[in-house]
Amino acid sequence: MSMRRIPLLCVLAMLGTTVLAAPASAAPVALLSDPVYDYATAIRETVYVETTLDNDGNGTPDKVVADIIRPREAATAGVKVPVIMDASPYYQCCGRGNESEKKAYAADGTVAKFPLYYDNFFVPRGYAFIAADLAGTSRSTGCEDVGGTEEVQGAKAVIEWLNGNAVGRTASGTVVNATTWTTGKVGMIGKSWDGTVANAVAATGVPGLETIVPIGAISSWYDYNRVNGMVNPKVSSVPSLHTTVNGRPSGTCTAVSSALSSGAVSNGNYNSFWAARNYVPSAASVHASVFVVHGMNDLNVQGVHFGQWWDALAANNVPRKIWLSQEGHVDPFDFRRAAWVDTLHRWFDFWLKGIDNGIMSEPMADVERAADVWQTSALWPPSGTTTTNYVLQGTGNPGVLASSGAGSGSLSLTDAPSLSEANAVSSPTTARTGRKVYQTPVLTSDLRISGTPTITLRVRSSKATTTLTAKLVTYGTATRVNYRASGEGISTLTTESCWGSSSSTDDACYKNTAKVVSSAAYQVLSRGWMDGQHRDSLTTTTAMNTSTYYTITWKLRPIDQIIPAGQRLGLVLTLTDPEFATAHSTGATATIDLTASVLKLPIAPASGLTAQTLSPQTAPPAVVDGTWSPTTGTRFQ
């Protein structure tokens, strides 16, 4: 895509952008917005933005609270600024970030302390920051409907207000006009539910939303709460989530709560309730650029969410970038802090200020290979990625996973509902009831899997249904990020580093983190499940005839992982998997025809990658403005 350029140096100066002189023959120098505005005296205000909905039924439009902080000097000079917004249900109930920060209010009702560092870092650089309370949470009216119309339209209304297309008022009812101080360009950011809202609002195509940065975000609420026809036991139910974040007086949201309970039916069927909370089909409406960040080992918001969203964005030529880490449900501020803040700074500068800093000419993907070891790819999945079929051979312990030849033999697998994942995948040469392991020979070269694996089994069940489970495993002792440990791959230290400017009520300092690693003989790379009676449709069930073989295909979670030479790739098959899919064991025995079963893997070139190793940020030097470089100790310019 073409780069955007700012033609007038005087405009750059007014926006607080450093302009570095260069010889006429030199290449253009990258530009960055500089911290020229005073954070401590920034304007803090609260605006109640009216939506077009009234789902609390009180006869007045529901209102979403937008707590705002913006540079005072820009307002005085008449310089309009873009907006970074984190719309969240968590500002009152639960807090944000690794330290669970909540909003703290001043006597006049404005926010004296904003969670996270976005305000501290970006307001001095000529941005406004908005922490919006989703409908029905904290001080907003309406009722939270967990990914539904009220939630999405409420956050969207804030963007519309910033562009003069919705009404905003003070607490006393005075109309507030945002177009006097903002350019109307908005970037949404957030982790988990917050990032999900960013995905959802982008899918509406609302004008003014220029970019989103979804971190560990949901793209379909069905795929968060359900698993191919089964219930996901690792996450809270929709009614429970509503209760957790509800900020309204008792009884106000009873009707909405009841509708959530009846819509999110207890079975695994996909219905209109889930369809309304599936943002992937609306990817064609996304006009914002998208910077996806996701942990490949996230067991809360699993990889299916970034995978299907990314594929849909790519199909619609949405400008995009991606970071994939080895951690679980962790913010990049806590697993790659210095590089993250610098990259996010340049991303927002490009998309919200139009500064030609070259970020869209850089590699599309950053992938973490091991703790603090990152590699980049020009595209993701990389050029040259091809689908390779792996067949299943033999009934020994283990069987053979082969990239050539044909499948052979027949497998009888009896359900073992108490079989844990650890027992299912460990000690692959040991025969265990309820599991079957297939392994490649020892790899003679690195094997890179980049994309979404799929598996097809020709299976007959002795019962009307059974769960089918497949896991990709790398076998070989190595030191890896321990995403199963407390902290999901990171630990929180006692030291701090500061990332932006501080005031007497809101400091920019946060505890540092370190990677948690361990040596293990194996690691589960990807998982996938299918309910046999949902093999043909997620909306309805069809019993399996006990005398009939069915060809059933399902996806595993997308990954970008390298299995190094000297290790083996394994496929582990089980039936019930109570940790990840609600156990409804039928006691079935599944007979699998290996001659018609196949594992399809997206194999990418494992050579030609650019590697960068970073030292763990255990004790960074004290800084004032927070743009610490782990290599030079100087402020990024």
Side-chain angles (χ1 to χ4, degrees):
M1 62 174 295
S2 62
M3 296 291 104
R4 304 182 186 181
R5 295 188 179 276
I6 304 297
L8 300 177
L9 296 184
C10 61
V11 174
L12 287 170
M14 291 179 68
L15 291 175
T17 304
T18 297
V19 183
L20 302 179
S25 60
V29 177
L31 306 173
L32 282 175
S33 56
D34 231 23
V36 299
Y37 297 115
D38 183 49
Y39 176 78
T41 60
I43 297 171
R44 296 168 184 258
E45 58 190 330
T46 297
V47 175
Y48 295 77
V49 179
E50 294 182 359
T51 74
T52 59
L53 305 174
D54 177 25
N55 83 338
D56 59 12
N58 66 357
T60 61
D62 297 332
K63 299 177 182 64
V64 170
V65 167
D67 285 312
I68 306 164
I69 180 170
R70 54 190 176 93
R72 186 175 299 275
E73 301 94 328
T76 300
V79 175
K80 295 185 177 184
V81 298
V83 176
I84 296 168
M85 181 169 78
D86 186 343
S88 176
Y90 290 132
Y91 286 127
Q92 174 182 282
C93 70
C94 313
R96 303 309 298 128
N98 190 39
E99 299 175 40
S100 300
E101 289 187 317
K102 299 179 181 180
K103 289 180 181 178
Y105 299 95
D108 64 358
T110 61
V111 173
K113 178 178 175 60
F114 287 86
L116 306 175
Y117 65 96
Y118 303 136
D119 56 314
N120 307 91
F121 188 85
F122 285 104
V123 170
R125 289 168 167 79
Y127 292 85
F129 175 70
I130 295 180
D133 299 322
L134 293 182
T137 72
S138 193
R139 297 188 293 175
S140 294
T141 63
C143 296
E144 235 303 335
D145 60 354
V146 190
T149 301
E150 177 82 2
E151 175 180 297
V152 178
Q153 292 300 316
K156 177 184 175 218
V158 178
I159 299 173
E160 292 172 328
W161 169 68
L162 292 167
N163 286 274
N165 299 316
V167 176
R169 301 180 187 271
T170 64
S172 62
T174 302
V175 173
V176 182
N177 182 7
T179 60
T180 59
W181 59 262
T182 179
T183 63
K185 294 181 180 293
V186 182
M188 292 186 71
I189 189 170
K191 177 195 169 192
S192 198
W193 198 332
D194 303 15
T196 304
V197 177
N199 283 340
V201 175
T204 70
V206 59
L209 183 59
E210 301 295 318
T211 190
I212 63 171
V213 185
I215 302 166
I218 296 167
S219 57
S220 162
W221 281 89
Y222 176 88
D223 291 313
Y224 180 69
N225 288 94
R226 302 292 184 262
V227 185
N228 279 344
M230 298 166 287
V231 176
N232 181 354
K234 294 187 74 67
V235 304
S236 298
S237 68
V238 166
S240 177
L241 289 170
H242 165 83
T243 299
T244 297
V245 303
N246 180 37
R248 305 306 308 282
S250 177
T252 303
C253 296
T254 300
V256 171
S257 178
S258 297
L260 294 177
S261 295
S262 59
V265 290
S266 59
N267 61 36
N269 289 352
Y270 187 85
N271 57 22
S272 60
F273 177 88
W274 298 119
R277 290 160 174 80
N278 183 0
Y279 315 122
V280 177
S282 297
S285 298
V286 175
H287 302 303
S289 63
V290 183
F291 187 175
V292 173
V293 182
H294 216 102
M296 289 183 287
N297 294 309
D298 191 337
L299 300 182
N300 178 5
V301 182
Q302 296 182 29
V304 59
H305 294 282
F306 84 79
Q308 62 190 5
W309 186 232
W310 182 266
D311 289 345
L313 295 173
N316 289 281
N317 298 312
V318 173
R320 62 203 182 278
K321 185 176 180 67
I322 191 167
W323 276 20
L324 297 174
S325 77
Q326 292 292 337
E327 286 70 46
H329 199 55
V330 181
D331 193 294
F333 187 72
D334 297 312
F335 64 66
R336 199 187 184 193
R337 186 167 295 182
W340 170 245
V341 175
D342 177 56
T343 304
L344 187 64
H345 182 191
R346 292 184 295 116
W347 183 264
F348 281 144
D349 273 2
F350 180 84
W351 287 105
L352 299 183
K353 289 197 170 191
I355 297 174
D356 184 4
N357 54 30
I359 194 166
M360 293 305 290
S361 299
E362 296 173 3
M364 177 181 284
D366 280 35
V367 181
E368 189 177 22
R369 294 294 169 211
D372 295 316
V373 177
W374 290 80
Q375 293 178 320
T376 62
S377 294
L379 297 173
W380 199 86
S383 297
T385 300
T386 57
T387 299
T388 299
N389 291 345
Y390 283 76
V391 296
L392 286 60
Q393 299 175 336
T395 57
N397 293 306
V400 176
L401 186 63
S403 58
S404 61
S408 62
S410 178
L411 169 65
S412 179
L413 199 59
T414 300
D415 196 11
S418 62
L419 185 68
S420 67
E421 178 171 271
N423 285 332
V425 302
S426 62
S427 304
T429 61
T430 301
R432 287 180 179 161
T433 300
R435 72 96 180 256
K436 180 62 181 179
V437 180
Y438 293 89
Q439 282 187 328
T440 65
V442 173
L443 298 176
T444 58
S445 60
D446 293 350
L447 179 68
R448 181 182 181 184
I449 304 172
S450 186
T452 302
T454 63
I455 187 166
T456 298
L457 298 181
R458 185 168 186 264
V459 59
R460 183 182 67 197
S461 172
S462 66
K463 302 291 185 180
T465 189
T466 185
T467 303
L468 300 169
T469 300
K471 301 175 191 281
L472 283 183
V473 185
T474 178
Y475 288 101
T477 300
T479 298
R480 304 179 178 94
V481 173
N482 187 358
Y483 67 89
R484 284 287 214 169
S486 174
E488 302 187 51
I490 65 162
S491 63
T492 304
L493 307 177
T494 58
T495 58
E496 288 188 334
S497 58
C498 304
W499 301 85
S501 302
S502 299
S503 69
S504 60
T505 60
D506 193 333
D507 71 77
C509 304
Y510 293 85
K511 291 180 180 178
N512 296 311
T513 63
K515 297 295 173 69
V516 175
V517 299
S518 62
S519 179
Y522 65 87
Q523 179 179 345
V524 180
L525 302 178
S526 182
R527 304 164 176 85
W529 308 267
M530 174 58 74
D531 177 34
Q533 64 186 346
H534 282 92
R535 64 193 178 277
D536 297 323
S537 170
L538 292 179
T539 60
T540 58
T541 60
T542 306
M544 302 176 75
N545 187 313
T546 58
S547 62
T548 302
Y549 276 95
Y550 299 93
T551 299
I552 303 175
T553 299
W554 70 98
K555 295 178 180 179
L556 279 66
R557 294 341 192 190
I559 54 173
D560 190 325
Q561 300 276 18
I562 292 179
I563 298 91
Q567 296 189 12
R568 298 174 187 264
L569 174 64
L571 171 67
V572 179
L573 300 177
T574 64
L575 299 184
T576 300
D577 187 356
E579 182 179 0
F580 293 96
T582 296
H584 57 276
S585 172
T586 60
T589 294
T591 303
I592 301 172
D593 177 6
L594 301 182
T595 66
S597 299
V598 63
L599 171 69
K600 294 180 178 289
L601 295 181
I603 304 300
S607 59
L609 298 171
T610 302
Q612 178 187 21
T613 302
L614 303 176
S615 300
Q617 297 173 29
T618 56
V623 292
V624 175
D625 191 53
T627 43
W628 169 67
S629 164
T631 53
T632 66
T634 60
R635 190 168 67 82
F636 290 110
Q637 297 294 325

